[in-house]
Amino acid sequence: MSSNYFPYRDGQLHVSQVPVARLAEEVGTPFYCYSADALENSYRSFAAALSGLPATICYALKANSNQAVIKTFADLGAGADVVSEGELRRALAAGVPAERIVFAGVGKTGQEMIAGLDAGIMQFNVESLAELELLSQVAQQRGTTAPVAVRVNPNVDAGTLDQITTGRADSKFGIDATEARDFLTGTGSLPGIRFEGLAVHIGSQLTDIAPYRTTFERLIALYHELREAGLPLRRLDLGGGIGISYKHHLQEQVEEAEQRVRDYAQVVHGLADGLDAELVFEPGRLLVGNAGLLVTRVLYVKDNGERRFVIVDAAMNDLLRPSLYDAWHEILPVSAAAANAELRPVDVVGPVCESTDTFAKQRPLPPLKKDDLLVFSSAGAYSFVMASTYNSRPLAPEVLVRGDRSAIVRARMEYDAMIGQDRLPDWQNERADGDNPQKTALGAA
Ligand code: LLP
Protein backbone atom coordinates (compact mmCIF):
# COMPACT_ATOMS: atom_id res chain seq x y z
CA MET A 1 0.00 0.00 0.00
CA SER A 2 1.61 3.17 -1.09
CA SER A 3 1.07 5.34 1.97
CA ASN A 4 0.34 8.33 -0.27
CA TYR A 5 -2.99 6.93 -1.30
CA PHE A 6 -4.00 5.80 2.19
CA PRO A 7 -2.88 8.65 4.44
CA TYR A 8 -3.90 9.45 7.99
CA ARG A 9 -5.20 13.01 8.18
CA ASP A 10 -6.11 14.40 11.58
CA GLY A 11 -5.78 10.88 12.90
CA GLN A 12 -8.29 9.45 10.43
CA LEU A 13 -7.39 6.96 7.70
CA HIS A 14 -8.29 8.17 4.22
CA VAL A 15 -8.44 6.59 0.80
CA SER A 16 -7.11 9.36 -1.39
CA GLN A 17 -9.13 12.30 0.00
CA VAL A 18 -12.07 10.36 1.39
CA PRO A 19 -12.23 9.36 5.07
CA VAL A 20 -12.69 5.60 5.47
CA ALA A 21 -15.04 6.16 8.42
CA ARG A 22 -17.42 8.18 6.23
CA LEU A 23 -17.54 5.38 3.66
CA ALA A 24 -18.21 2.88 6.43
CA GLU A 25 -21.22 4.97 7.51
CA GLU A 26 -22.48 5.10 3.94
CA VAL A 27 -22.06 1.47 2.86
CA GLY A 28 -21.83 -0.48 6.12
CA THR A 29 -19.14 -3.03 6.92
CA PRO A 30 -17.42 -5.14 5.79
CA PHE A 31 -16.58 -3.56 2.45
CA TYR A 32 -13.71 -3.36 0.00
CA CYS A 33 -12.32 -0.02 -1.03
CA TYR A 34 -9.92 0.70 -3.89
CA SER A 35 -8.06 3.85 -4.79
CA ALA A 36 -8.30 4.66 -8.49
CA ASP A 37 -5.35 6.99 -8.02
CA ALA A 38 -3.26 4.08 -6.72
CA LEU A 39 -4.44 1.82 -9.57
CA GLU A 40 -3.50 4.42 -12.16
CA ASN A 41 -0.17 5.06 -10.51
CA SER A 42 0.79 1.38 -10.40
CA TYR A 43 -0.14 0.88 -14.05
CA ARG A 44 1.72 3.98 -15.16
CA SER A 45 4.85 3.04 -13.18
CA PHE A 46 4.94 -0.45 -14.67
CA ALA A 47 4.32 0.88 -18.18
CA ALA A 48 7.07 3.47 -17.67
CA ALA A 49 9.52 0.78 -16.54
CA LEU A 50 8.84 -1.07 -19.80
CA SER A 51 8.79 1.97 -22.05
CA GLY A 52 10.64 1.57 -25.32
CA LEU A 53 9.71 -2.11 -25.55
CA PRO A 54 7.10 -3.39 -28.02
CA ALA A 55 4.95 -4.43 -25.07
CA THR A 56 1.28 -5.06 -24.36
CA ILE A 57 0.37 -5.08 -20.68
CA CYS A 58 -2.44 -7.57 -20.28
CA TYR A 59 -3.81 -7.02 -16.79
CA ALA A 60 -4.51 -10.41 -15.16
CA LEU A 61 -8.19 -10.07 -14.34
CA LYS A 62 -8.12 -12.90 -11.85
CA ALA A 63 -6.54 -10.54 -9.32
CA ASN A 64 -9.53 -8.21 -9.29
CA SER A 65 -12.22 -8.34 -11.95
CA ASN A 66 -14.52 -5.52 -10.94
CA GLN A 67 -15.64 -3.70 -14.09
CA ALA A 68 -14.54 -0.33 -12.72
CA VAL A 69 -11.05 -1.67 -11.99
CA ILE A 70 -10.71 -3.23 -15.43
CA LYS A 71 -11.95 -0.04 -17.06
CA THR A 72 -9.43 2.04 -15.10
CA PHE A 73 -6.67 0.05 -16.77
CA ALA A 74 -8.40 -0.23 -20.16
CA ASP A 75 -8.63 3.57 -20.25
CA LEU A 76 -4.85 3.69 -19.82
CA GLY A 77 -4.37 1.33 -22.76
CA ALA A 78 -4.13 -2.01 -20.99
CA GLY A 79 -5.10 -5.34 -22.47
CA ALA A 80 -6.35 -8.28 -20.42
CA ASP A 81 -5.26 -11.77 -19.45
CA VAL A 82 -8.38 -13.87 -18.96
CA VAL A 83 -8.80 -17.47 -17.85
CA SER A 84 -12.50 -18.14 -18.33
CA GLU A 85 -15.44 -17.08 -20.46
CA GLY A 86 -16.64 -15.07 -17.49
CA GLU A 87 -13.41 -13.07 -17.40
CA LEU A 88 -13.46 -12.70 -21.18
CA ARG A 89 -16.96 -11.23 -20.97
CA ARG A 90 -15.90 -8.93 -18.14
CA ALA A 91 -12.90 -7.67 -20.12
CA LEU A 92 -14.95 -7.01 -23.25
CA ALA A 93 -17.74 -5.36 -21.24
CA ALA A 94 -15.23 -3.02 -19.59
CA GLY A 95 -13.99 -1.96 -23.00
CA VAL A 96 -10.76 -3.91 -23.41
CA PRO A 97 -10.24 -4.34 -27.18
CA ALA A 98 -10.38 -8.03 -28.18
CA GLU A 99 -7.04 -7.76 -29.95
CA ARG A 100 -5.43 -7.01 -26.58
CA ILE A 101 -6.85 -10.06 -24.82
CA VAL A 102 -4.94 -13.26 -24.13
CA PHE A 103 -6.86 -16.32 -23.02
CA ALA A 104 -4.80 -18.43 -20.61
CA GLY A 105 -5.74 -21.33 -18.37
CA VAL A 106 -5.05 -25.03 -18.17
CA GLY A 107 -8.60 -26.24 -18.84
CA LYS A 108 -10.40 -24.21 -21.47
CA THR A 109 -13.66 -25.77 -22.64
CA GLY A 110 -14.77 -25.92 -26.26
CA GLN A 111 -17.42 -23.32 -25.44
CA GLU A 112 -14.76 -20.97 -24.07
CA MET A 113 -12.68 -21.45 -27.21
CA ILE A 114 -15.68 -20.47 -29.33
CA ALA A 115 -16.20 -17.36 -27.21
CA GLY A 116 -12.56 -16.33 -27.67
CA LEU A 117 -12.56 -17.03 -31.40
CA ASP A 118 -15.82 -15.17 -31.99
CA ALA A 119 -14.52 -12.18 -30.06
CA GLY A 120 -11.30 -12.15 -32.11
CA ILE A 121 -8.80 -12.21 -29.24
CA MET A 122 -5.04 -11.74 -29.64
CA GLN A 123 -4.05 -15.26 -28.62
CA PHE A 124 -4.86 -18.44 -26.79
CA ASN A 125 -2.11 -19.58 -24.44
CA VAL A 126 -2.31 -23.31 -24.94
CA GLU A 127 -1.18 -25.58 -22.13
CA SER A 128 -1.36 -29.11 -23.56
CA LEU A 129 -1.30 -30.97 -26.84
CA ALA A 130 -4.82 -32.26 -26.14
CA GLU A 131 -6.03 -28.68 -25.78
CA LEU A 132 -4.32 -27.79 -29.05
CA GLU A 133 -6.21 -30.58 -30.82
CA LEU A 134 -9.55 -29.40 -29.50
CA LEU A 135 -8.78 -25.79 -30.42
CA SER A 136 -7.84 -26.95 -33.93
CA GLN A 137 -11.20 -28.73 -34.29
CA VAL A 138 -13.20 -25.86 -32.86
CA ALA A 139 -11.47 -23.27 -35.06
CA GLN A 140 -12.10 -25.35 -38.16
CA GLN A 141 -15.76 -25.76 -37.24
CA ARG A 142 -16.03 -21.98 -36.88
CA GLY A 143 -14.27 -21.54 -40.24
CA THR A 144 -11.44 -19.56 -38.66
CA THR A 145 -7.85 -19.80 -37.45
CA ALA A 146 -6.86 -19.59 -33.79
CA PRO A 147 -3.80 -17.49 -32.89
CA VAL A 148 -1.78 -19.55 -30.43
CA ALA A 149 1.08 -19.13 -28.00
CA VAL A 150 2.35 -22.36 -26.49
CA ARG A 151 2.80 -22.07 -22.73
CA VAL A 152 6.07 -23.68 -21.91
CA ASN A 153 6.90 -25.10 -18.53
CA PRO A 154 10.50 -23.91 -18.07
CA ASN A 155 11.14 -26.11 -15.03
CA VAL A 156 12.26 -23.22 -12.88
CA ASP A 157 11.55 -22.89 -9.19
CA ALA A 158 10.19 -19.40 -8.63
CA GLY A 159 11.04 -19.52 -4.95
CA THR A 160 7.56 -18.46 -3.88
CA LEU A 161 4.91 -20.29 -1.84
CA ASP A 162 4.29 -23.87 -2.97
CA GLN A 163 0.61 -23.09 -3.48
CA ILE A 164 1.32 -20.36 -6.04
CA THR A 165 4.39 -21.65 -7.88
CA THR A 166 3.60 -22.77 -11.43
CA GLY A 167 6.82 -23.23 -13.41
CA ARG A 168 8.25 -26.42 -11.96
CA ALA A 169 8.18 -29.71 -13.84
CA ASP A 170 5.79 -31.14 -11.23
CA SER A 171 3.21 -28.41 -11.77
CA LYS A 172 0.07 -28.84 -13.87
CA PHE A 173 0.86 -25.76 -15.95
CA GLY A 174 2.36 -25.50 -19.42
CA ILE A 175 3.96 -28.01 -21.75
CA ASP A 176 7.38 -29.45 -21.04
CA ALA A 177 9.89 -27.47 -23.13
CA THR A 178 11.37 -30.52 -24.92
CA GLU A 179 7.95 -31.89 -25.70
CA ALA A 180 6.85 -28.49 -27.01
CA ARG A 181 9.94 -28.24 -29.21
CA ASP A 182 9.57 -31.77 -30.59
CA PHE A 183 5.92 -31.21 -31.31
CA LEU A 184 6.34 -27.82 -32.93
CA THR A 185 9.34 -28.75 -35.05
CA GLY A 186 7.82 -32.13 -35.92
CA THR A 187 4.31 -30.99 -36.75
CA GLY A 188 4.91 -27.40 -37.66
CA SER A 189 1.32 -26.87 -38.60
CA LEU A 190 -2.09 -27.93 -37.48
CA PRO A 191 -5.28 -27.00 -39.34
CA GLY A 192 -7.06 -24.05 -37.76
CA ILE A 193 -4.02 -23.11 -35.69
CA ARG A 194 -1.58 -20.25 -36.27
CA PHE A 195 1.43 -20.51 -33.98
CA GLU A 196 2.40 -16.97 -33.06
CA GLY A 197 4.37 -17.21 -29.89
CA LEU A 198 5.50 -18.79 -26.66
CA ALA A 199 4.30 -18.04 -23.15
CA VAL A 200 5.50 -18.63 -19.59
CA HIS A 201 4.32 -17.84 -16.09
CA ILE A 202 6.32 -19.29 -13.23
CA GLY A 203 4.33 -18.24 -10.20
CA SER A 204 2.97 -15.39 -8.17
CA GLN A 205 4.31 -13.05 -5.46
CA LEU A 206 7.90 -13.55 -6.65
CA THR A 207 10.36 -11.60 -4.56
CA ASP A 208 13.50 -12.82 -6.33
CA ILE A 209 14.21 -11.73 -9.89
CA ALA A 210 16.79 -14.45 -10.67
CA PRO A 211 14.20 -17.10 -11.64
CA TYR A 212 12.77 -14.67 -14.19
CA ARG A 213 16.11 -14.27 -15.89
CA THR A 214 16.63 -18.05 -16.13
CA THR A 215 13.11 -18.52 -17.42
CA PHE A 216 13.25 -15.78 -20.04
CA GLU A 217 16.65 -16.97 -21.26
CA ARG A 218 15.28 -20.48 -21.75
CA LEU A 219 12.21 -19.14 -23.47
CA ILE A 220 14.19 -16.93 -25.82
CA ALA A 221 16.55 -19.79 -26.73
CA LEU A 222 13.54 -21.90 -27.66
CA TYR A 223 12.03 -19.00 -29.58
CA HIS A 224 15.14 -18.66 -31.74
CA GLU A 225 15.37 -22.40 -32.25
CA LEU A 226 11.77 -22.63 -33.42
CA ARG A 227 12.09 -19.64 -35.70
CA GLU A 228 15.18 -21.18 -37.26
CA ALA A 229 13.16 -24.35 -37.77
CA GLY A 230 10.76 -22.22 -39.83
CA LEU A 231 7.97 -21.42 -37.40
CA PRO A 232 6.74 -17.84 -37.92
CA LEU A 233 6.74 -16.94 -34.23
CA ARG A 234 6.59 -13.25 -33.39
CA ARG A 235 5.46 -12.91 -29.78
CA LEU A 236 6.66 -13.78 -26.29
CA ASP A 237 4.30 -13.67 -23.34
CA LEU A 238 6.37 -13.33 -20.18
CA GLY A 239 3.50 -13.84 -17.72
CA GLY A 240 3.05 -12.04 -14.41
CA GLY A 241 4.03 -12.75 -10.85
CA ILE A 242 6.01 -9.76 -9.57
CA GLY A 243 5.63 -9.65 -5.81
CA ILE A 244 4.49 -6.65 -3.78
CA SER A 245 5.25 -5.55 -0.24
CA TYR A 246 2.59 -6.52 2.28
CA LYS A 247 4.52 -4.89 5.13
CA HIS A 248 4.15 -1.16 4.71
CA HIS A 249 5.47 -0.38 8.15
CA LEU A 250 8.86 -1.71 7.02
CA GLN A 251 10.28 0.98 4.78
CA GLU A 252 13.01 -1.32 3.51
CA GLN A 253 10.40 -3.81 2.27
CA VAL A 254 8.57 -1.09 0.40
CA GLU A 255 11.79 0.10 -1.19
CA GLU A 256 12.74 -3.48 -1.99
CA ALA A 257 9.44 -3.92 -3.83
CA GLU A 258 10.00 -0.75 -5.84
CA GLN A 259 13.54 -1.86 -6.67
CA ARG A 260 12.19 -5.26 -7.74
CA VAL A 261 10.16 -3.69 -10.56
CA ARG A 262 13.22 -1.80 -11.76
CA ASP A 263 15.34 -4.98 -11.63
CA TYR A 264 12.68 -6.92 -13.49
CA ALA A 265 12.47 -4.24 -16.17
CA GLN A 266 16.23 -4.20 -16.46
CA VAL A 267 16.33 -7.96 -17.06
CA VAL A 268 13.66 -7.64 -19.71
CA HIS A 269 15.28 -4.65 -21.42
CA GLY A 270 18.60 -6.50 -21.48
CA LEU A 271 17.17 -9.65 -23.01
CA ALA A 272 14.86 -7.84 -25.43
CA ASP A 273 17.74 -6.00 -27.00
CA GLY A 274 17.96 -7.20 -30.60
CA LEU A 275 15.14 -9.67 -30.08
CA ASP A 276 12.63 -9.61 -32.87
CA ALA A 277 9.49 -10.20 -30.80
CA GLU A 278 6.44 -8.41 -29.50
CA LEU A 279 6.18 -8.81 -25.73
CA VAL A 280 3.17 -9.47 -23.54
CA PHE A 281 3.11 -9.04 -19.76
CA GLU A 282 0.42 -10.36 -17.44
CA PRO A 283 0.73 -8.51 -14.13
CA GLY A 284 -2.09 -8.88 -11.66
CA ARG A 285 -1.11 -8.37 -8.03
CA LEU A 286 1.48 -5.70 -8.88
CA LEU A 287 -1.21 -3.45 -10.35
CA VAL A 288 -3.98 -3.88 -7.79
CA GLY A 289 -2.62 -5.51 -4.62
CA ASN A 290 -1.60 -2.37 -2.80
CA ALA A 291 -4.49 -0.30 -4.12
CA GLY A 292 -7.20 -1.84 -1.94
CA LEU A 293 -8.41 -2.29 1.62
CA LEU A 294 -10.94 -4.46 3.33
CA VAL A 295 -12.72 -2.40 5.97
CA THR A 296 -14.24 -4.18 8.95
CA ARG A 297 -15.75 -3.34 12.32
CA VAL A 298 -14.97 -4.85 15.68
CA LEU A 299 -17.95 -6.84 16.97
CA TYR A 300 -16.55 -8.05 20.27
CA VAL A 301 -13.37 -8.25 22.25
CA LYS A 302 -13.14 -11.44 24.26
CA ASP A 303 -10.52 -12.68 26.68
CA ASN A 304 -10.11 -16.44 26.93
CA GLY A 305 -7.59 -16.99 29.66
CA GLU A 306 -4.34 -15.51 28.44
CA ARG A 307 -5.51 -14.95 24.92
CA ARG A 308 -7.40 -11.93 23.65
CA PHE A 309 -9.62 -12.33 20.58
CA VAL A 310 -10.80 -9.41 18.51
CA ILE A 311 -13.89 -10.63 16.65
CA VAL A 312 -14.55 -8.57 13.52
CA ASP A 313 -17.43 -8.55 11.06
CA ALA A 314 -15.30 -9.64 8.07
CA ALA A 315 -14.51 -13.31 7.76
CA MET A 316 -12.63 -15.87 5.73
CA ASN A 317 -15.45 -15.84 3.19
CA ASP A 318 -14.61 -12.16 2.49
CA LEU A 319 -10.80 -12.47 2.55
CA LEU A 320 -9.58 -16.03 2.18
CA ARG A 321 -5.84 -15.50 1.82
CA PRO A 322 -4.89 -15.76 5.52
CA SER A 323 -6.85 -19.02 5.94
CA LEU A 324 -5.73 -20.49 2.63
CA TYR A 325 -2.07 -19.52 2.48
CA ASP A 326 -1.31 -18.22 5.94
CA ALA A 327 -0.95 -14.90 4.12
CA TRP A 328 -0.05 -11.84 6.16
CA HIS A 329 -2.09 -8.64 5.75
CA GLU A 330 -1.31 -5.50 7.68
CA ILE A 331 -4.11 -4.52 10.10
CA LEU A 332 -4.56 -0.83 10.83
CA PRO A 333 -7.06 1.07 12.98
CA VAL A 334 -9.10 3.62 11.03
CA SER A 335 -8.72 6.08 13.91
CA ALA A 336 -5.00 6.29 14.56
CA ALA A 337 -3.94 5.05 17.96
CA ALA A 338 -2.47 7.54 20.41
CA ALA A 339 1.30 7.80 20.02
CA ASN A 340 1.81 6.35 23.50
CA ALA A 341 -0.80 3.56 23.08
CA GLU A 342 0.44 0.23 24.36
CA LEU A 343 0.47 -2.55 21.78
CA ARG A 344 -0.80 -5.91 22.90
CA PRO A 345 -0.79 -9.20 20.96
CA VAL A 346 -4.31 -10.26 19.93
CA ASP A 347 -5.88 -12.78 17.59
CA VAL A 348 -8.07 -11.11 14.98
CA VAL A 349 -10.80 -13.51 13.94
CA GLY A 350 -14.02 -13.58 11.94
CA PRO A 351 -17.44 -14.95 12.84
CA VAL A 352 -17.31 -18.06 10.60
CA CYS A 353 -17.52 -21.43 12.32
CA GLU A 354 -14.00 -22.58 11.42
CA SER A 355 -10.81 -22.24 13.41
CA THR A 356 -9.03 -21.15 10.23
CA ASP A 357 -11.27 -18.08 10.13
CA THR A 358 -8.36 -16.23 11.66
CA PHE A 359 -6.81 -13.16 10.06
CA ALA A 360 -3.90 -12.78 12.45
CA LYS A 361 -2.50 -14.57 15.47
CA GLN A 362 -0.82 -12.74 18.30
CA ARG A 363 -0.60 -9.52 16.31
CA PRO A 364 0.49 -6.53 18.38
CA LEU A 365 -2.32 -3.97 18.09
CA PRO A 366 -3.34 -0.90 20.04
CA PRO A 367 -6.32 -1.18 22.43
CA LEU A 368 -9.53 -1.98 20.51
CA LYS A 369 -13.16 -1.92 21.52
CA LYS A 370 -16.54 -2.76 20.09
CA ASP A 371 -17.45 -0.74 16.97
CA ASP A 372 -13.89 0.34 16.20
CA LEU A 373 -13.07 0.24 12.51
CA LEU A 374 -10.05 -1.67 11.20
CA VAL A 375 -8.65 -2.25 7.74
CA PHE A 376 -6.77 -5.14 6.20
CA SER A 377 -4.37 -3.53 3.78
CA SER A 378 -3.01 -4.82 0.45
CA ALA A 379 -6.43 -6.33 -0.19
CA GLY A 380 -6.76 -5.21 -3.80
CA ALA A 381 -5.57 -8.50 -5.32
CA TYR A 382 -6.96 -12.02 -4.86
CA SER A 383 -9.25 -10.75 -2.15
CA PHE A 384 -12.79 -9.86 -3.21
CA VAL A 385 -12.45 -12.19 -6.21
CA MET A 386 -11.85 -15.16 -3.92
CA ALA A 387 -14.81 -14.36 -1.67
CA SER A 388 -17.67 -16.79 -1.21
CA THR A 389 -21.00 -16.81 0.55
CA TYR A 390 -19.89 -19.48 3.03
CA ASN A 391 -22.07 -19.46 6.14
CA SER A 392 -24.63 -17.67 3.92
CA ARG A 393 -22.81 -14.40 4.31
CA PRO A 394 -23.63 -12.06 1.41
CA LEU A 395 -20.69 -10.87 -0.70
CA ALA A 396 -19.31 -7.54 0.51
CA PRO A 397 -19.67 -4.38 -1.56
CA GLU A 398 -16.79 -2.68 -3.38
CA VAL A 399 -16.14 1.05 -3.43
CA LEU A 400 -13.84 2.97 -5.75
CA VAL A 401 -12.36 6.31 -4.68
CA ARG A 402 -10.77 8.85 -6.98
CA GLY A 403 -9.53 12.07 -5.45
CA ASP A 404 -12.42 13.32 -3.31
CA ARG A 405 -15.08 11.24 -5.08
CA SER A 406 -16.32 7.77 -4.22
CA ALA A 407 -18.68 5.32 -5.88
CA ILE A 408 -20.10 1.95 -4.97
CA VAL A 409 -18.83 -0.20 -7.83
CA ARG A 410 -20.48 -3.35 -6.58
CA ALA A 411 -23.45 -3.33 -4.26
CA ARG A 412 -23.67 -5.57 -1.22
CA MET A 413 -25.37 -8.80 -2.19
CA GLU A 414 -29.01 -8.82 -1.10
CA TYR A 415 -30.20 -11.68 1.08
CA ASP A 416 -33.08 -12.36 -1.30
CA ALA A 417 -30.70 -12.59 -4.25
CA MET A 418 -28.56 -15.09 -2.37
CA ILE A 419 -31.35 -17.29 -1.07
CA GLY A 420 -33.45 -16.86 -4.20
CA GLN A 421 -30.92 -18.80 -6.25
CA ASP A 422 -32.10 -21.99 -4.55
CA ARG A 423 -34.93 -24.01 -6.09
CA LEU A 424 -37.03 -26.69 -4.46
CA PRO A 425 -37.26 -29.92 -6.45
CA ASP A 426 -40.68 -30.90 -7.85
CA TRP A 427 -41.28 -33.54 -5.22
CA GLN A 428 -41.11 -30.96 -2.47
CA ASN A 429 -43.46 -28.65 -4.33
CA GLU A 430 -45.95 -31.39 -5.19
CA ARG A 431 -46.99 -31.96 -1.58
CA ALA A 432 -49.84 -29.91 -0.24
CA ASP A 433 -48.63 -26.66 1.25
CA GLY A 434 -49.93 -27.64 4.65
CA ASP A 435 -47.53 -30.62 4.69
CA ASN A 436 -44.59 -28.53 3.66
CA PRO A 437 -43.67 -25.88 6.17
CA GLN A 438 -40.50 -25.17 4.18
CA LYS A 439 -42.46 -24.15 1.11
CA THR A 440 -44.62 -21.86 3.15
CA ALA A 441 -41.50 -20.39 4.68
CA LEU A 442 -39.95 -19.75 1.28
CA GLY A 443 -43.20 -18.29 -0.03
CA ALA A 444 -43.41 -18.09 -3.80
CA ALA A 445 -39.62 -17.89 -4.29
N1 LLP B 1 -0.61 -15.10 -15.68
C1 LLP B 1 -0.95 -16.35 -15.31
C2 LLP B 1 -0.93 -17.40 -16.31
C3 LLP B 1 -1.31 -16.62 -13.99
O1 LLP B 1 -1.64 -17.86 -13.63
C4 LLP B 1 -1.31 -15.56 -13.03
C5 LLP B 1 -1.68 -15.81 -11.63
C6 LLP B 1 -0.96 -14.27 -13.47
C7 LLP B 1 -0.60 -14.08 -14.80
C8 LLP B 1 -0.93 -13.08 -12.56
O2 LLP B 1 0.01 -13.25 -11.56
P1 LLP B 1 0.34 -12.05 -10.57
O3 LLP B 1 1.02 -10.98 -11.37
O4 LLP B 1 -0.93 -11.56 -10.00
O5 LLP B 1 1.22 -12.66 -9.55
N2 LLP B 1 -4.55 -16.49 -5.19
C9 LLP B 1 -3.12 -16.38 -5.01
C10 LLP B 1 -2.43 -15.99 -6.31
C11 LLP B 1 -2.73 -16.92 -7.46
C12 LLP B 1 -2.08 -16.50 -8.76
C13 LLP B 1 -2.62 -17.27 -9.90
N3 LLP B 1 -2.08 -16.94 -11.18
C14 LLP B 1 -2.85 -15.38 -3.89
O6 LLP B 1 -3.81 -14.87 -3.31
O7 LLP B 1 -1.71 -15.10 -3.57
Side-chain angles (χ1 to χ4, degrees), residues 34 72 95 106-107 116 139 148 165 169 174 200 221 238 249 291 302 329 347 358 388 391 402 411 416:
Y34 313 119
T72 302
V106 73
V148 162
T165 196
V200 280
L238 302 183
H249 57 290
K302 130 171 165 178
H329 285 261
D347 286 13
T358 296
S388 75
N391 276 207
R402 187 161 200 266
D416 285 351

Side-chain angles (χ1 to χ4, degrees), residues 309-382:
F309 293 91
V310 175
I311 303 164
V312 297
D313 67 359
M316 63 189 285
N317 74 295
D318 300 300
L319 177 62
L320 186 59
R321 304 189 70 255
S323 317
L324 194 58
Y325 314 116
D326 251 337
W328 196 98
H329 285 261
E330 181 129 42
I331 301 174
L332 299 168
V334 168
S335 294
N340 60 354
E342 199 181 321
L343 302 186
R344 166 185 176 160
V346 296
D347 286 13
V348 180
V349 302
V352 161
C353 309
E354 301 253 2
S355 299
T356 59
D357 185 20
T358 296
F359 291 111
K361 282 198 171 132
Q362 295 300 288
R363 180 78 60 91
L365 288 177
L368 292 167
K369 56 180 193 319
K370 185 172 165 44
D371 290 334
D372 281 352
L373 289 168
L374 294 175
V375 301
F376 297 96
S377 70
S378 305
Y382 305 110

